[in-house]
Amino acid sequence: MTTDITSTEGTTGTTTEWPLWEVFVRSSRGLSHVHAGSLHAPDATMALRNARDLYTRRNEGTSVWVVPSAVIASSDPDSKGGYFESAQGKAYRHATYYTKSEGVKHL
Amino acid sequence: MSFASHDSATKISAGSAISAEEIAASGATAEPDVATYALYLGDDALMLAQRLGWWIARAPELEEDIALSNIALDQLGHARFLLTYAGTAWGKTEDDLAYFRDEEEFRSCRLVEQENGDFGQTIARQLIFSYYQHELFRRLVDSNDATLSAIADKALKEVQYHQDHAAQWVLRLGIGTPESHERMQKGLYYLWPYVDELFHDDDLTRDLSERGIAVLPSSLRADFDRRIAELLAEAELEVPDLPGAWGGDRSGEFSEHRGHILAEMQVLARQHPGATW
């Protein structure tokens, strides 16, 4: 692991407070990294150390990612309707909507 | 790692590692010399845990609060293993040894008894001690005393993290701002006179290391010096060139701070013997 002390890439620079980082923990092999929470740290290297202390205290981790919160683009909670709810009622997007054609095996 | 594991991919278990209770139940009995050596190491860990505990709710940031308390608890764990094992020689429990010995009966080095000072001084103490402990436990895993070997194996994994934590902060404070650089350098200067004691051989450690039980303290010095010099060079800090403080050979000579540490640590157990919570 390289130590880059000066890199605060992707963080918004405030001089008084450490930037915020989002923490993703992979609990075991074959599973995805899951968002565990967030923390403050002066840089990425320290953010990883802090993530280990805060989010892998009970054997939860085999791998940890930290991402500057500032670089994450997220969907707008206020436009939930147009974004997500419009998918409701569209049963034809699900495989179960369709009936099996005759003679097709192993479905 | 066995492939016949019954752990599921998603269920998190505590895992298994040595515990103080297992050492007590194992029936292993330390001979008095080995027990005294366990006190050398265990008392160091106990004093440092007590010192680091002071930072709880006082550290510069919440995340650092957690980091320092984690390290304190790791050290307390080492102390529990070692004091439990030492107690088997004299029919005493870890609590008997921690709470009911007087200050001249402790065998801790003076480095761990030094005050926290500012954050730079605490990190300087962490740096020196964790680098020393790493060299020690790295070799103690080969001890032909099975209990000491098992304790070292567990402690080594924890100390690897402690020295990483210290090194990361030394780099940041050293290269950070003029003020952080100055505080880090001052912390190193303040604590350097207590370094020699860590590597001091006495009759006990000479005898036990010849028998393959203990690690000869002086044999750790070269690796310690080399690794500290490399890190401090990277952090743009000086390795202090100072004579060792007078005395300090674990003979029971102790620093003025020890009594203050014990007063706080032992008061509850002595006022209410047998109290549990």
Side-chain angles (χ1 to χ4, degrees):
Chain A
M1 188 185 295
T2 55
T3 304
D4 186 358
I5 298 174
T6 52
S7 166
T8 48
E9 193 188 337
T11 58
T12 48
T14 54
T15 49
T16 51
E17 202 176 84
W18 291 348
L20 192 67
W21 303 76
E22 300 301 323
V23 180
F24 299 84
V25 178
R26 177 187 223 168
S27 55
S28 60
R29 230 177 46 178
L31 299 177
S32 308
H33 286 76
V34 174
H35 184 241
S38 56
L39 52 80
H40 289 95
D43 54 57
T45 310
M46 293 307 272
L48 274 175
R49 303 311 190 264
N50 292 344
R52 175 263 187 193
D53 283 341
L54 287 160
Y55 295 110
T56 67
R57 296 177 55 79
R58 298 181 189 89
N59 263 355
E60 293 96 332
T62 58
S63 160
V64 179
W65 288 344
V66 291
V67 180
S69 306
V71 302
I72 295 180
S74 69
S75 56
D76 175 9
D78 294 335
S79 56
K80 223 167 63 167
Y83 250 82
F84 304 116
E85 285 166 19
S86 71
Q88 287 171 7
K90 294 177 180 167
Y92 52 85
R93 291 185 177 179
H94 296 260
T96 48
Y97 175 81
Y98 299 94
T99 49
K100 200 168 74 171
S101 303
E102 217 173 309
V104 177
K105 291 195 176 86
H106 310 305
L107 262 181
Chain B
M1 189 76 202
S2 135
F3 289 107
S5 163
H6 297 293
D7 290 344
S8 80
T10 50
K11 190 163 146 261
I12 293 159
S13 75
S16 59
I18 194 171
S19 71
E21 289 77 8
E22 282 167 15
I23 294 172
S26 70
T29 308
E31 57 174 282
D33 275 1
V34 176
T36 303
Y37 180 65
L39 286 184
Y40 284 16
L41 311 187
D43 287 348
D44 283 356
L46 184 63
M47 293 292 179
L48 186 62
Q50 190 67 17
R51 276 294 190 212
L52 286 173
W54 178 90
W55 280 103
I56 295 172
R58 290 188 176 98
E61 291 274 346
L62 181 63
E63 286 79 359
E64 193 51 34
D65 217 285
I66 306 274
L68 288 170
S69 5
N70 254 340
I71 294 169
L73 284 169
D74 285 349
Q75 292 291 343
L76 193 63
H78 303 176
R80 290 193 58 206
F81 302 149
L82 289 156
L83 265 53
T84 299
Y85 187 43
T88 61
W90 309 297
K92 289 185 185 295
T93 65
E94 50 181 310
D95 284 1
D96 293 338
L97 291 173
Y99 298 126
F100 296 98
R101 274 183 299 158
D102 292 331
E103 54 185 340
E104 68 277 6
E105 297 174 276
F106 279 79
R107 289 292 171 267
S108 37
C109 63
R110 285 167 308 161
L111 175 79
V112 293
E113 296 169 1
Q114 297 309 304
E115 287 168 315
N116 290 317
D118 62 7
F119 188 65
Q121 186 169 311
T122 286
I123 292 299
R125 194 182 57 203
Q126 278 308 108
L127 176 76
I128 297 166
F129 194 68
S130 63
Y131 272 52
Y132 152 77
Q133 267 197 324
H134 178 80
E135 296 308 321
L136 169 68
F137 290 138
R138 200 162 67 80
R139 292 163 175 84
L140 196 62
V141 289
D142 298 325
S143 168
N144 54 31
D145 181 298
T147 309
L148 286 180
S149 167
I151 292 170
D153 184 57
K154 165 88 167 97
L156 180 61
K157 293 188 188 90
E158 291 164 350
V159 169
Q160 281 167 347
Y161 192 80
H162 302 175
Q163 59 172 8
D164 176 69
H165 169 269
Q168 293 299 333
W169 275 118
V170 167
L171 288 167
R172 280 160 184 75
L173 297 171
I175 304 172
T177 64
E179 186 183 0
S180 73
H181 177 90
E182 188 192 0
R183 285 175 180 246
M184 189 66 240
Q185 189 67 71
K186 270 189 177 163
L188 288 163
Y189 268 98
Y190 183 84
L191 292 165
W192 212 255
Y194 306 105
V195 170
D196 284 351
E197 186 181 15
L198 299 170
F199 304 99
H200 174 82
D201 301 338
D202 60 13
D203 290 344
L204 181 88
T205 48
R206 270 189 290 264
D207 174 53
L208 290 180
S209 63
E210 273 166 29
R211 293 164 54 198
I213 293 168
V215 178
L216 192 66
S218 60
S219 69
L220 312 173
R221 187 71 198 243
D223 281 345
F224 171 88
D225 282 344
R226 181 180 48 80
R227 296 184 61 234
I228 290 277
E230 280 169 12
L231 178 75
L232 293 188
E234 195 186 340
E236 295 168 19
L237 292 157
E238 287 171 21
V239 180
D241 181 19
L242 293 169
W246 178 85
D249 52 5
R250 296 193 190 262
S251 61
E253 297 282 338
F254 48 89
S255 77
E256 63 189 291
H257 303 297
R258 186 184 289 173
H260 299 288
I261 298 173
L262 293 181
E264 188 173 77
M265 190 179 86
Q266 295 179 331
V267 62
L268 191 75
R270 291 190 180 212
Q271 277 183 343
H272 306 279
T276 55
W277 59 88

